[in-house]
Amino acid sequence: MAMKRNGKSHVSSDSDEQFMSFKDVSLGPHEAQLRFRLIHFWEAPNPVKKTLIGLEMLLIDEQVSRFFNDSFQILVRLYVFVSYLFSSEVSFSFRDLLFQGTVIQGFIPPGRIKKYLPDMKRGSVYKLINFYGSKNKPVYRVADHVATVSFAWNSEMSVLHEIPISFDEDRFRFHSHEDFEANCDLKGDLYDVIGHMKLVDGQTLIERPSLDDVKIVTTRHIVIHVQSHDGPVLKLYLWDQAATDFCKKFNSCENTPTVLLVTTVNTKRLGGTLALSSMSPTRVFMDYDVQPTRDYFTWLGSNPEIANQVCADVITKRETLSIAEIFSYMTQESAKAAFFECTATIDDVVHGSPWYYIACSGCHSKATNGPSSLICTNTKCQKVNTTGVLEYRAKISVYENNEQAFFVLLGDAGRELTGRHASELVSSYFEANKSEGADHEVPVPEALISTIGQTHKFCVKVTDHNFSGNTRAITVTKILSLDTPSPTEASVGNDIAAMSEGATQSGDAVCEPHKGGGDTADEGSKRACSSSDPTCEN
């Protein structure tokens, strides 16, 4: 067979075929064979252009000696075999030290995905003939190798059913809290994190947390507090598929899981606090899924004093941002829907637009008039013959120092601010103005106008509509007094006090497509989203 154009080929001792080792892969075209295990693959979308950049992969090649020449490797292999006969623990640890595969990132352009995807299965071993060594992207890297194996026009991949040599099942890149701090907001390497869970969706593990699948699908994320060994507690945001995978694994476990391993997380700083966020290639493992989680589970059982440690200040801390910081967060490429606290003063109530709306009695999304009844506009609800209820959707102007913003009071937030239900205020107006028709627009009530000049702590939510530029108005979900901790903080504090021993781009990377042999990545189909969020109408 033809040799590769760059460097030398690795000759396998178990076959007459010549295979290149990943460590020998360099930039440029290669007419050579690779043999590897497919650890993972995922779609790489461009969130700005809503296009598919391609299919990215994590690959590992066969186990080879990391040291010594061929003659010494023979002696080492003999030692490993003999030591295995007498002490498997020693032999395996020594073997893992000496023999490891090399991990590299792979890439398939969108126009070639259909050719290879039907035969791709995580964990299977493949042979690839002909490829292009492209430069590994500098942002959101998942492998240390300088090159990426890009599938070229003449690449041929086939499944290997009979495997004469050994391949590692997986490879993880664990780093310390100090490394996460040093790489925060740099958009560089995506590292893996392992630890024991302290809170899951705001719930302690004293009793098995109840996870609401529908809520997580709607909010697109779940937050887990994780402590790695005796380090600080970190807040981990899992988005979209990672959040779904977490819920499925967590709910399927017979016993409440405690150990969590999450791969390829991005480090962000929110409100001065270090946070970890899942990305497109993120995978989730628990208790006994893989060797690192099994080892950590054993370590945790041997160190109960660390397992029971808790730092209440870190666990219960909610991100508090200024108006300027919230607007800055909304412009970040990897921003996702999130909740924050913000203290601001009301300086006006917006007139000229409805301050309430007719909501579905079930999910509180907007309800519209159907042929004979009200119909919910929420695609996940779609109730017909729903009972309409009046809910707040009042737009207020607020300021903090020199920054100004528009907040939208939704539902209970309006009642918490005024002390009165929207339906009560509307009924009072029509009682006082009986000559007005039922379709008459009700002016902004005095209960809202009287809040002008008041300073409050607002719990706010930024959504996809803020990121798309449809609106800069920020949704308020709750009103807190300035000197009272939030109910979530108080309830978690009670849970911690009751415990005698103590208690997650995302965003996707905006990256250029890999190019091989003059090829450019084909353009994929665009993605679109819609919502019945009542704030979109302002």
Side-chain angles (χ1 to χ4, degrees), residues 318 320 340-344 413 416-417 455-460 476-489:
R318 179 184 290 166
T320 300
F340 303 106
E341 286 184 5
C342 177
T343 300
E416 290 166 350
L417 181 65
T455 299
H456 293 275
K457 183 189 291 184
F458 298 90
C459 291
V460 300
V476 177
T477 61
K478 198 168 189 62
I479 307 293
L480 301 174
S481 65
L482 294 175
D483 55 355
T484 303
S486 68
T488 301
E489 292 177 351

Side-chain angles (χ1 to χ4, degrees), residues 198-213:
K198 292 295 189 181
L199 290 179
V200 175
D201 197 26
Q203 306 170 69
T204 66
L205 275 69
I206 305 173
E207 297 182 0
R208 188 184 185 97
S210 175
L211 302 183
D212 187 342
D213 294 339

